[in-house]
Amino acid sequence: MLPLLGSNRQPTFISQIPNPDRRDSPKMDIDPLPNGGPAAAVAAAAVAATNAPSSKLSRLAESLKLEHQLTRVPFEHLKKSMRANHRVVEKEVSAVVSAVSDAANAPGEDDAVDRLSSLVSRLQGLKRKLEEGSRTEHLQAQRCRARLDHLESADPENLSEWSNTRLKRIVVDYMLRMSYYDTAAKLAESTNIQDLVDIDVFLEAKKVIDALQNKEVGPALAWCTENKSRLKKSKSIFEFQLRLQEFVELVRAENSMRAITYARKYLAPWGSTHMKELQRVMATLAFRSNTECATYKVLFETKQWDFLVDQFRQEFCRLYGMTFEPLLNIYLQAGLSALKTPFCTEDGCTKEDPLSQECFRKLAMPLPFSKQHHSKLVCYITKELMDTENPPLVLPNGYVYSTKALEEMAKKNNGKIICPRTNFGCDYSDLVKAYIS
Amino acid sequence: MDVNPIKDAFDRVAKKQKLSYSKTQEVIDQIFQEISDTIEKIQNTHKSDSRSDYKALLADLKTKIKEMAPLTLLEGTQKELNVALSKYPKLLEKSFNPDISKAYRNVDLDTATVNYIIASHFYRQGLFDVGDCFVTEAMEPESIASIRSPYVEMYQILEAMKSRNLEPALKWATSNSSKLKANGSDLEVKLHRMQYVEILQSGIRDEALSYARIHLARFAADHFAEIQKLMGCLLWAGKLELSPYPDLLYPANWDKLAEELTRQFCSLLGQSFESPLGVTVAAGVQALPPLLKFMNVMWGKKQEWQSMKQLPVPVELDDEFQFHSIFVCPVSKEQATDDNPPWLMPCGHVLCKQSIVKMSKNLSKSFKCPYCPTDIDSGNCKALYF
């Protein structure tokens, strides 16, 4: 009663399926990639070849590879503490060494003993500091390990709790980047994931950001000094930008003499590489803060401070090996694109589809639609996937539902089928099977 | 993914760190010792009144420390540590995707919308404290108040259920009885059944019977067999575990009931059962790996990526993310659209209209189905609606 053809005939002729990737195939010359340029087509083909439907395990492995930030940030934090602690030791030891040389010139014996005693207590202080530093380092190293353990604990058979934690981590990251520190702390605490999020790292950024928002560059400059060698390595000009702003503020305050002294001291060293910016900002001395000249007016605008905040955030993220964008935005964007189909905006869209909601649609608007290489049919009635276990059946009017749903309907209705979308009626025996490959 | 090599590498870093710490300590201790010794010597010479020169002792100390070369020692340990410190991040970069933002398109996600979604998520998950904190920190409280209050009610009902109190749940189900029925849900009868079982198990048979008369009788039409079974239970009041229906006492029944209630509650609110934020992020986790692979091949051609109308690579999500029927023509590999709908051929195989048009030379000739040897007359094909 059902199919016109026995399903056992399918495999025999499988070799006749035209290969869609072969452009010279006689039956088709349809471009397999309607969008993107030729480079995209080649790249897509290369990726598609390796993107076979993956097992749970490899899917999990792929998802864990996205966790670079989780492992990198605590390590950078640890590295920073180690370097800083070492610098303290070096400084102190070299001070003690030179103080010992000086002591040789002590005018009297008592004086010499005093000097040496003060060195002894200085060394004792250093030892304490060293121990303290080592304790911090130890905690930070533990955190690095905790993250690796967490990655290891992901069990492909029981992922729901792990995935929940991942979502929370991603949301905490968003809170920290958007400066919603209270929520970040609260969420981390209430779900006990403090070791998996970087609240303390971001508190360091908070100090600088708060100050910049108050139009103070002090903490930002201090931060630059702290990270001098690494900023230099990445060719950062953040410090220069801060100096420019400070200069502009002196000009705004009509403090020309101080501005010039400041420029000699702090701007001139950048002249060899950034002459243009330097010249431009020097010209503000002539134009002053009430200028209407667009080139210079913009330098006096308050949004320059917002720009500095942004700039700082970028430098900060780079230093710690974080993405510039909040993780949430990256995951949301990828997820929205993958879920976006032309059907999401139709009336019958199920509530379980995030894109049935207005706010999600709004976010997805500028994003591309998903692309799939395999048919996946969802039964309109049961919302279940139609596959070989539960194959699709076609009503005479062309509407398709799952075997399960139609069998159920026939059982309740004495073998009668009524199409829920068109009210078309027929017998169960009128249905034909459709083969979807 | 094997985390062990990374762990080993980290252990090497930690080992070097310990080594450097103990060496540093040693250096400091040594200087400390030398200076203390010198002090003692100076003081001793003073007591014994031998006129040996403190200056000589100081010069001695100076030479000793100079020979010790503490700064060179420190530098040496630091150098060793630095090697480990620079190796480890390289391993991380190799083991992980070092920059997942490569697959990010530079379109701003509207912050207010994202915040609204997050706040709704917190309330939906019952994290009211966190949600309230977030709303005060990030948004206008008025915009979200209407989302909060229904979830407060839902979690009150669920909390009560956790302490085996069904009253609030029953009250809600009764007042939404018709809506639940329209949804095809029999939550109401399930709640009453649970209540009945609770009464019965506490041993008060008469009360259970009268409860059944008042609350269960009206469901007789649709749940005849079920009610018969429940009546049978009356014989085992207080010792249901010995009855033929011990499954009625399973603690898991409560979890299932709570889930069902949550599902229906959300549905009546017009919301999904799963948090949409959670669903989208989980979909993103599955979508990013293929997108990143593509971007690595495409690097330098970011322009194309920014302007695409459809993702350049197929992204296969797990079945749980499949909310719509997608038909991909097995010949053209294109997704069906209203203009290019799926057509059913008489043999039962399905292709997109355009492919059939091509193969039939504009519907003028019969052609062979690419899947079976049937000759297809295009006049006998018809459009399908999934």
Side-chain angles (χ1 to χ4, degrees):
Chain A
M1 90 187 152
L2 286 178
L4 296 170
L5 280 169
S7 56
N8 58 340
R9 296 183 62 180
Q10 264 184 289
T12 327
F13 299 97
I14 213 89
S15 58
Q16 289 194 6
I17 302 170
N19 178 355
D21 294 332
R22 277 183 47 198
R23 294 297 189 101
D24 57 352
S25 169
K27 271 185 186 163
M28 49 122 354
D29 49 1
I30 304 163
D31 184 8
L33 282 146
N35 72 72
V42 173
V47 174
T50 58
N51 193 29
S54 37
S55 69
K56 265 186 195 172
L57 200 65
S58 66
R59 178 148 267 175
L60 174 65
E62 288 291 315
S63 75
L64 292 184
K65 282 194 180 156
L66 304 172
E67 302 286 358
H68 180 252
Q69 182 176 315
L70 181 74
T71 54
R72 185 67 181 264
V73 175
F75 174 73
E76 291 298 333
H77 200 198
L78 168 66
K79 192 159 114 186
K80 204 178 150 193
S81 310
M82 281 158 79
R83 293 251 156 90
N85 290 337
H86 180 78
R87 264 202 302 275
V88 169
V89 171
E90 240 175 11
K91 215 172 122 194
E92 285 289 296
V93 168
S94 86
V96 168
V97 168
S98 62
V100 166
S101 310
D102 283 352
N105 309 324
E109 198 176 298
D110 290 343
D111 186 49
V113 171
D114 280 351
R115 284 197 196 189
L116 290 184
S117 306
S118 85
L119 288 184
V120 165
S121 56
R122 193 166 177 178
L123 283 173
Q124 270 167 337
L126 177 61
K127 267 177 83 170
R128 261 199 310 279
K129 250 189 218 160
L130 186 67
E131 265 163 43
E132 226 169 80
S134 156
R135 264 199 297 278
T136 329
E137 284 173 27
H138 183 68
L139 286 178
Q140 286 171 336
Q142 258 180 347
R143 179 163 287 188
C144 292
R145 283 210 181 85
R147 307 252 172 130
L148 292 174
D149 289 341
H150 180 68
L151 286 182
E152 208 171 27
S153 75
D155 169 11
E157 293 310 318
N158 191 9
L159 261 183
S160 74
E161 202 192 319
W162 203 88
S163 307
N164 274 336
T165 307
R166 175 176 55 208
L167 178 61
K168 279 170 196 150
R169 285 192 280 121
I170 293 171
V171 171
V172 171
D173 173 80
Y174 175 83
M175 300 294 163
L176 291 171
R177 286 161 187 267
M178 305 296 286
S179 301
Y180 306 140
Y181 300 100
D182 291 347
T183 313
K186 207 160 199 154
L187 180 58
E189 194 190 340
S190 71
T191 50
N192 229 342
I193 51 168
Q194 289 100 323
D195 258 352
L196 303 177
V197 292
D198 300 301
I199 294 180
D200 43 354
V201 170
F202 273 94
L203 285 179
E204 171 194 328
K206 180 181 190 295
K207 271 186 235 151
V208 177
I209 293 172
D210 286 351
L212 285 177
Q213 276 162 350
N214 284 329
K215 303 196 171 35
E216 289 166 32
V217 291
L221 284 172
W223 183 83
C224 286
T225 324
E226 236 172 81
N227 300 288
K228 199 167 194 163
S229 62
R230 299 203 52 200
L231 288 175
K232 207 169 171 186
K233 212 183 255 169
S234 66
K235 298 205 170 68
S236 159
I237 57 161
F238 180 54
E239 189 189 340
F240 181 51
Q241 287 164 328
L242 291 169
R243 299 288 184 198
L244 291 179
Q245 188 63 37
E246 253 197 326
F247 177 82
V248 167
E249 292 306 316
L250 288 172
V251 175
R252 194 200 307 277
E254 311 242 320
N255 216 333
S256 306
M257 284 321 288
R258 271 191 61 199
I260 291 167
T261 329
Y262 186 88
R264 279 194 189 136
K265 189 162 175 198
Y266 295 114
L267 299 185
W270 296 85
S272 56
T273 44
H274 296 86
M275 188 48 91
K276 248 201 175 133
E277 291 94 323
L278 203 156
Q279 283 171 337
R280 180 170 169 219
V281 84
M282 289 309 291
T284 56
L285 278 171
F287 284 90
R288 300 210 292 196
S289 59
N290 54 8
T291 177
E292 284 304 317
C293 177
T295 322
Y296 303 105
K297 193 181 172 187
V298 59
L299 291 175
F300 288 100
E301 282 170 7
T302 34
K303 70 168 186 234
Q304 289 293 331
W305 286 98
D306 301 336
F307 169 75
L308 283 177
V309 170
D310 266 2
Q311 206 61 27
F312 168 71
R313 283 209 169 100
Q314 283 199 14
E315 298 289 350
F316 182 80
C317 290
R318 196 194 333 260
L319 226 59
Y320 276 102
M322 299 179 201
T323 55
F324 293 158
E325 293 295 329
L327 295 178
L328 182 71
N329 294 12
I330 297 171
Y331 283 106
L332 266 184
Q333 216 187 56
L336 286 169
S337 263
L339 291 171
K340 186 174 169 183
T341 70
F343 312 106
C344 295
T345 45
E346 283 178 3
D347 290 341
C349 182
T350 161
K351 283 275 170 288
E352 294 302 320
D353 183 350
L355 280 144
S356 67
Q357 296 202 14
E358 203 44 54
C359 41
F360 282 87
R361 283 183 192 167
K362 193 173 159 193
L363 294 183
M365 195 110 73
L367 301 177
F369 284 103
S370 75
K371 181 191 187 81
Q372 302 196 2
H373 257 189
H374 301 281
S375 296
K376 276 194 176 170
L377 303 180
V378 180
C379 174
Y380 178 87
I381 300 172
T382 62
K383 307 292 177 204
E384 283 176 339
L385 218 57
M386 298 190 266
D387 49 21
T388 44
E389 309 279 289
N390 185 22
L393 292 179
V394 185
L395 273 57
N397 66 351
Y399 281 73
V400 180
Y401 303 99
S402 68
T403 308
K404 235 189 205 171
L406 293 172
E407 264 175 4
E408 181 93 348
M409 190 188 287
K411 225 193 293 175
K412 277 190 184 163
N413 278 337
N414 276 330
K416 284 270 176 235
I417 297 294
I418 293 172
C419 172
R421 282 177 285 183
T422 60
N423 279 332
F424 174 92
C426 66
D427 281 332
Y428 189 75
S429 54
D430 298 331
L431 307 178
V432 296
K433 208 167 176 177
Y435 296 98
I436 309 292
S437 42
Chain B
M1 174 174 179
D2 191 6
V3 184
N4 280 322
I6 307 175
K7 280 184 153 178
D8 292 346
F10 186 76
D11 284 341
R12 281 195 288 278
V13 173
K15 215 170 116 192
K16 286 274 189 280
Q17 179 201 5
K18 266 200 194 119
L19 198 71
S20 145
Y21 173 67
S22 59
K23 274 193 178 166
T24 310
Q25 228 173 6
E26 230 170 81
V27 169
I28 296 174
D29 279 344
Q30 249 176 337
I31 305 177
F32 183 84
Q33 203 52 50
E34 293 294 347
I35 297 180
S36 306
D37 284 355
T38 311
I39 293 176
E40 208 174 314
K41 275 182 199 157
I42 294 176
Q43 280 165 345
N44 280 344
T45 52
H46 196 64
K47 270 179 217 152
S48 64
D49 214 32
S50 76
R51 305 243 335 147
S52 111
D53 195 2
Y54 74 90
K55 283 207 170 169
L57 288 170
L58 281 177
D60 241 18
L61 176 65
K62 191 176 160 185
T63 343
K64 267 187 195 155
I65 288 185
K66 203 173 174 188
E67 274 167 12
M68 204 201 308
L71 287 172
T72 328
L73 281 177
L74 288 178
E75 210 174 298
T77 63
Q78 187 65 9
K79 239 181 211 157
E80 256 177 73
L81 185 57
N82 274 342
V83 173
L85 283 181
S86 65
K87 255 191 196 161
Y88 185 66
K90 275 180 200 141
L91 177 70
L92 290 183
E93 272 166 28
K94 221 171 73 190
S95 316
F96 296 92
N97 240 313
D99 184 9
I100 60 168
S101 64
K102 271 189 188 172
Y104 188 79
R105 287 156 62 101
N106 265 335
V107 287
D108 264 336
L109 290 181
D110 178 51
T111 306
T113 311
V114 175
N115 286 351
Y116 180 85
I117 288 171
I118 295 175
S120 314
H121 169 80
F122 285 148
Y123 291 142
R124 164 64 187 83
Q125 302 304 108
L127 298 167
F128 294 103
D129 279 355
V130 179
D132 290 345
C133 176
F134 179 59
V135 169
T136 357
E137 219 173 358
M139 53 201 290
E140 302 287 323
E142 297 81 37
S143 60
I144 194 81
S146 64
I147 298 281
R148 187 185 192 275
S149 51
Y151 284 126
V152 171
E153 187 191 350
M154 184 173 95
Y155 277 94
Q156 276 164 353
I157 294 174
L158 291 174
E159 274 308 304
M161 282 177 77
K162 265 187 202 154
S163 49
R164 300 289 188 257
N165 172 8
L166 282 167
E167 289 303 329
L170 280 165
K171 206 174 137 206
W172 176 81
T174 313
S175 59
N176 290 287
S177 179
S178 54
K179 285 186 201 154
L180 286 172
K181 211 167 182 182
N183 252 0
S185 160
D186 53 1
L187 177 67
E188 205 183 350
V189 65
K190 279 183 184 153
L191 287 167
H192 281 303
R193 181 180 67 192
M194 185 63 95
Q195 184 75 327
Y196 166 82
V197 169
E198 284 290 295
I199 298 170
L200 196 59
Q201 186 60 3
S202 66
I204 321 169
R205 187 176 306 163
D206 290 347
E207 202 180 309
L209 186 58
S210 71
Y211 188 88
R213 279 198 186 123
I214 301 169
H215 297 292
L216 285 171
R218 61 194 168 97
F219 296 103
D222 293 334
H223 301 273
F224 198 64
E226 179 71 28
I227 290 175
Q228 277 180 332
K229 186 171 116 183
L230 292 175
M231 289 304 106
C233 290
L234 282 169
L235 298 175
W236 283 275
K239 44 184 189 226
L240 273 175
E241 64 278 6
L242 303 173
S243 76
Y245 322 112
D247 52 308
L248 286 172
L249 292 176
Y250 290 167
N253 293 347
W254 283 93
D255 301 336
K256 269 189 228 154
L257 198 57
E259 189 191 308
E260 170 86 20
L261 185 127
T262 313
R263 197 176 284 280
Q264 292 306 325
F265 199 104
C266 292
S267 164
L268 295 196
L269 277 181
Q271 300 288 332
S272 56
F273 172 66
E274 299 286 349
S275 152
L277 179 70
V279 171
T280 312
V281 168
V285 170
Q286 298 194 353
L288 271 177
L291 290 180
L292 285 167
K293 255 183 217 162
F294 173 78
M295 289 313 292
N296 279 335
V297 184
M298 275 283 285
W299 199 232
K301 301 246 178 208
K302 245 195 151 167
Q303 226 36 51
E304 283 183 42
W305 168 238
Q306 300 290 349
S307 58
M308 280 169 183
K309 291 268 172 283
Q310 190 185 26
L311 288 179
V313 274
V315 171
E316 301 282 341
L317 300 179
D318 282 346
D319 293 348
E320 62 198 279
F321 301 103
Q322 202 68 41
F323 302 109
H324 305 279
S325 286
I326 302 288
F327 179 77
V328 179
C329 176
V331 171
S332 69
K333 291 287 174 200
E334 277 182 56
Q335 276 169 226
T337 59
D338 286 348
D339 298 332
N340 185 23
W343 273 16
L344 175 73
M345 297 184 285
C347 57
H349 292 109
V350 185
L351 304 177
C352 268
K353 177 184 167 185
Q354 274 173 15
S355 303
I356 290 182
V357 169
K358 278 207 174 169
M359 289 198 287
S360 63
K361 302 277 183 273
N362 222 355
L363 307 180
S364 62
K365 281 185 183 155
S366 70
F367 62 96
K368 259 195 172 38
C369 169
Y371 284 89
C372 63
T374 316
D375 270 316
I376 307 291
D377 174 1
S378 53
N380 290 333
C381 299
K382 67 176 171 186
L384 293 184
Y385 305 91
F386 291 111

